[in-house]
Amino acid sequence: MAVTAETVARHELVGLEATVTQATNPDLEGTSGTVVSETTNTLVLEDDRERTVPKDAAQFAVTLPTGATVTVDGDRLVARPARRTETRGDSTWR
């Protein structure tokens, strides 16, 4: 399945470009880079250095492989990456 605006929360984020558009910590806003690691509660963005951003405290603009940019609320991403890719979404088959 291709990564689209509707399914981005169900896909692997490592390797995609992301920017923090809103955050409870104003110092994190505007942080951008390539997603190099993901845990249950954080994304690690790398540009000139690695920065760890809590998922539940931020909103992300993620650039898809097609070049489109999608805004994703971090609360939708809070889960183990492997579990999130298996179960999130409105699939009629699960």
Side-chain angles (χ1 to χ4, degrees):
M1 178 183 343
V3 181
T4 64
E6 294 80 23
T7 64
V8 70
R10 292 186 59 203
H11 285 276
E12 180 68 43
L13 300 177
V14 173
L16 298 179
E17 295 291 321
T19 302
V20 179
T21 56
Q22 292 180 351
T24 55
N25 178 353
D27 293 336
L28 293 174
E29 290 183 16
T31 300
S32 64
T34 303
V35 180
V36 293
S37 181
E38 180 179 7
T39 66
T40 301
N41 296 307
T42 64
L43 286 180
V44 179
L45 303 178
E46 181 180 51
D47 191 12
D48 56 338
R49 65 182 185 142
E50 288 187 356
R51 296 183 179 134
T52 303
V53 181
K55 292 178 183 177
D56 64 347
Q59 185 178 62
F60 301 91
V62 179
T63 304
L64 303 179
T66 61
T69 301
V70 178
T71 301
V72 180
D73 188 28
D75 288 337
R76 290 195 49 185
L77 302 175
V78 176
R80 284 184 41 230
R83 180 69 63 195
R84 188 187 74 240
T85 59
E86 293 173 358
T87 60
R88 287 280 182 179
D90 298 328
S91 173
T92 57
W93 303 104
R94 297 196 188 268

